[in-house]
Each structure stands twice: as structure tokens, then as C-alpha cells.
Amino acid sequence: MNDHVRDLASVREATDRLLTAAGKLDNAGVTQPSRLPGWSRGHVLAHVARNADALINVLAGRPMYASAETRDADIERDAPRPLPVQLQDVRDSAALFQEAGAAPADWTRTVALRNGVTDDASRIPFRRLIEIELHHVDLGVGYELEDLPEDFTGREIAFLAARFAGHPDVPAVLLTATDGRQWHTGRTQGDPVPVTGAAPDLLGWLAGRRDGASLDTSGALLPTLPPL
């Protein structure tokens, strides 16, 4: 069961952390490259704000984005803005998302995201939490995967493992964290490739934030994951 009330509270806390960290930048710093290829920190902040708008649309039963082209154009439009404008946009859009999440609703209903993806409404706050936490790391302002809350890291590994489960281009994989937690992903046929490492490194590999060089595969080749 997804606890949307708990996740909304976590989203609020994670947003505050991101805003505090980004607030230490200046206008020049926000134009510098982020850790995402081709994106500045301004692109990341603009995306975080527009993602809140998009998930409000999802909760309201509207299309997440008018189109992929509109999504990309909005991020490009907003990326060059001065830091104070960026921060206020993230703050305001986050408040509207919290307002939408607090409205009476059937949280068991199925909602539509983009590219044909559907999910339970109750998981939308967690999806928002993923955006906030990972893009905080992407800003490159000293917040690392190791700084993510432990509960979030485990849930996100499970979320991504489920996303790749049954994928024809991903061999069977057994993920094992050094604390003993395990997850299966990839195809269901064949002996699974053992992939072992610290939970932040497993998450980094699954989320495309790390190359997996620190992971142990017992001599097997580390599988190549398709783009998210």
C-alpha cells in the first residue's frame, strides 16, 4: 500500500532541502552545467517546477503534458531565468502540488501519465518525491546519492527494479545490497546475473546516475540498461 499522506509530507521536506541548497547559488551558478548532459542547473530547476504542474494535471485527470514538444519547450524557456525567479517558481508550483494532494479524492483510482504509462493515484506523491530527490543530486551542489533517506533509496530501487522487470533487453538480474536486501529485475528466464553493491550505487546504476563500476557481478558482464 502506498501512503500518499506520508509521501506528501516527504515531498514537502525534500523540496525544502532542495530550495535551501539551491538558494546558496547565485545567478551565475544557476547557469552552470548540471550533472545531466546538456542541461544547466536552470534546466533542472525549471523541470522540477514544470513537473509539479504536470503531476497536478495527472491528479486532475488531464493530460500530463500537452505534448512532448511543449514539455521540452517550456523547460528551455524557463531555464535561463535568474535564480530568485527559479526558486519562487519551484516554491509556488510545489505549494500547488501540495494543495492538489490535500484535496479529497479517490486515491485508489488509476491515473494516466505520459507515453501510455498508468499508475495508482496513491503513488503520484512518491513519483514527485523521486523527481525532487534525484534532481537535487543532479544539481551538483553537494547532495549525493549517499545523502538520500535510506527508506527512499530502498523504495526507489524497488520501483526501478519493477520498471525493468520482464524487459526483453534486460537479462535476469539479482540485485543485492550490502545490507542484505534483494530485488529481482529483468527477464524471468535464465540464471540471474548477480549485481551486488551499496544501495546508493545500485540506485545510481538503475537510475542512470552512475556507470556501475563499483558494483560486483562475480565476473559476469554488467548488463546495459535501456534509457528510463
Side-chain angles (χ1 to χ4, degrees):
M1 290 289 292
N2 299 300
D3 185 342
H4 71 278
V5 175
R6 180 193 66 177
D7 287 342
L8 283 167
S10 296
V11 167
R12 184 181 296 108
E13 294 166 2
T15 302
D16 287 345
R17 288 195 297 271
L18 183 150
L19 285 167
T20 297
K24 297 175 182 177
L25 298 169
D26 55 22
N27 285 335
V30 81
T31 67
Q32 295 302 305
S34 74
R35 291 175 171 174
L36 294 177
W39 271 18
S40 69
R41 289 170 174 150
H43 284 90
V44 174
L45 292 171
H47 169 61
V48 168
R50 300 288 71 78
N51 172 262
D53 298 341
L55 292 180
I56 291 169
N57 287 337
V58 169
L59 290 175
R62 299 186 293 266
M64 187 171 182
Y65 296 100
S67 67
E69 292 77 16
T70 299
R71 170 190 177 274
D72 294 345
D74 286 349
I75 294 170
E76 289 295 333
R77 177 198 66 206
D78 294 342
R81 298 175 301 176
L83 179 64
V85 179
Q86 297 276 15
L87 297 179
Q88 192 60 49
D89 191 16
V90 172
R91 190 175 293 111
D92 290 345
S93 58
L96 291 173
F97 178 77
Q98 290 289 333
E99 182 179 316
D106 174 13
W107 287 95
T108 66
R109 71 192 188 281
T110 299
V111 293
L113 290 99
R114 57 193 298 237
N115 301 324
V117 174
T118 60
D119 204 348
D120 294 338
S122 62
R123 191 147 62 170
I124 297 305
F126 180 64
R127 284 180 175 270
R128 176 61 178 171
L129 184 60
I130 294 170
E131 295 289 326
I132 296 294
E133 291 286 25
L134 292 187
H135 287 314
H136 189 167
V137 174
D138 294 334
L139 283 174
V141 291
Y143 191 68
E144 305 297 339
L145 294 174
E146 287 75 12
D147 298 315
L148 295 170
E150 184 177 352
D151 175 69
F152 170 80
T153 299
R155 289 180 69 192
E156 175 63 347
I157 291 172
F159 180 83
L160 292 171
R163 186 164 180 170
F164 290 122
H167 197 293
D169 296 332
V170 180
V173 174
L174 174 61
L175 301 161
T176 303
T178 49
D179 60 14
R181 288 176 293 173
Q182 291 189 319
W183 303 265
H184 290 270
T185 194
R187 296 193 295 266
T188 56
Q189 300 83 20
D191 294 332
V193 177
V195 178
T196 303
D201 288 324
L202 291 172
L203 171 55
W205 175 61
L206 290 167
R209 265 68 178 184
R210 292 184 179 172
D211 62 10
S214 64
L215 300 175
D216 180 13
T217 59
S218 299
L221 289 177
L222 184 68
T224 298
L225 298 176
L228 289 172

